[in-house]
């Protein structure tokens, strides 16, 4: 469903990161007639070495499943594909400039996230409220960047375990 979005994301990525490596996780496979540029490396769920993929697939719809596979994808890119730093972008993101600031931030931190808030929410009865933010999470997981490290590995393990044990993600709260 998001393949056209992912193509635009890839195009914007290569425009601003010439020579970069772009991986596309095809959660529900690609139609037989789809041709992607050679520079886009397609990753299938079977590449993630998840012994519990079937369990996740039965538990979640495709949007929720895509979210639940993010930590395994990121871990696989580092462990199996040899990436020392990775940045994940949801397919509805458009890159509009070089990622120099991101790589600088990642050189100083093992994990780079986007917070939903930069200042406290006033207690004025309007939305979003603090409770609304707690329901969706402090960070927007449409983007995350990691460099290979013990703390990044620990985060991905923690996240993956939560996705597996969760009864169900609420896709209306996934961003």
């Amino acid at each position: 469903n998001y393949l056209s979005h992912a193509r635009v994301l890839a195009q914007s990525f290569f425009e601003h990161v010439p020579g970069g490596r772009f991986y596309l996780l095809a959660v529900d496979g690609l139609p037989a007639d789809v041709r992607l540029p050679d520079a886009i490396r397609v990753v299938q769920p079977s590449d993630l070495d998840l012994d519990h993929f079937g369990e996740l697939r039965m538990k979640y719809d495709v949007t929720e499943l895509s979210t639940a596979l993010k930590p395994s994808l990121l871990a696989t890119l580092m462990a199996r594909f040899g990436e020392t730093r990775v940045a994940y972008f949801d397919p509805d993101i458009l890159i509009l400039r070089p990622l120099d600031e991101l790589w600088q931030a990642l050189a100083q931190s093992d994990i780079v996230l986007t917070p939903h808030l930069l200042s406290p929410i006033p207690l004025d009865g309007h939305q979003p409220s603090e409770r609304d933010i707690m329901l969706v999470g402090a960070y927007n997981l449409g983007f995350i960047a990691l460099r290979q490290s013990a703390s990044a590995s620990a985060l991905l393990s923690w996240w993956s375990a939560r996705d597996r044990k969760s009864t169900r993600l609420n896709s209306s709260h996934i961003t």
Side-chain angles (χ1 to χ4, degrees):
N1 290 343
Y2 287 94
L3 185 56
S4 61
H5 291 76
R7 286 177 190 255
V8 172
L9 168 60
Q11 182 180 4
S12 70
F13 174 81
F14 288 124
E15 181 181 332
H16 296 290
V17 186
R21 288 180 300 281
F22 188 94
Y23 297 89
L24 170 72
L25 177 61
V27 174
D28 49 1
L30 293 176
D33 61 341
V34 168
R35 300 289 175 253
L36 296 173
D38 290 339
I40 297 176
R41 300 173 189 191
V42 177
V43 178
Q44 302 289 339
S46 59
D47 296 322
L48 303 181
D49 296 325
L50 277 175
D51 62 349
H52 60 282
F53 176 70
E55 174 188 329
L56 294 174
R57 191 170 175 198
M58 295 300 292
K59 186 188 302 188
Y60 298 129
D61 67 29
V62 71
T63 302
E64 295 166 337
L65 179 60
S66 298
T67 299
L69 292 177
K70 286 179 192 181
S72 297
L73 170 65
L74 295 167
T76 297
L77 293 178
M78 289 190 281
R80 189 167 164 207
F81 290 79
E83 300 295 345
T84 58
R85 64 182 189 179
V86 294
Y88 172 88
F89 299 95
D90 266 353
D92 60 354
I93 292 176
L94 183 67
I95 298 171
L96 297 174
R97 63 182 194 198
L99 300 176
D100 300 337
E101 294 164 276
L102 169 59
W103 303 136
Q104 290 169 3
L106 203 52
Q108 298 172 6
S109 302
D110 293 338
I111 302 164
V112 177
L113 298 166
T114 303
H116 278 127
L117 300 173
L118 294 176
S119 58
I121 293 179
L123 299 175
D124 57 8
H126 292 107
Q127 290 186 311
S129 67
E130 286 182 356
R131 184 177 190 291
D132 294 329
I133 297 302
M134 286 191 285
L135 287 172
V136 299
Y139 299 99
N140 183 315
L141 289 181
F143 162 80
I144 183 173
L146 307 156
R147 70 174 166 170
Q148 199 168 45
S149 65
S151 59
S153 248
L155 171 69
L156 294 174
S157 293
W158 173 87
W159 182 6
S160 185
R162 294 323 178 269
D163 286 344
R164 186 172 186 187
K165 296 296 180 195
S166 174
T167 56
R168 193 163 166 95
L169 296 173
N170 183 340
S171 61
S172 67
H173 291 138
I174 296 172
T175 56

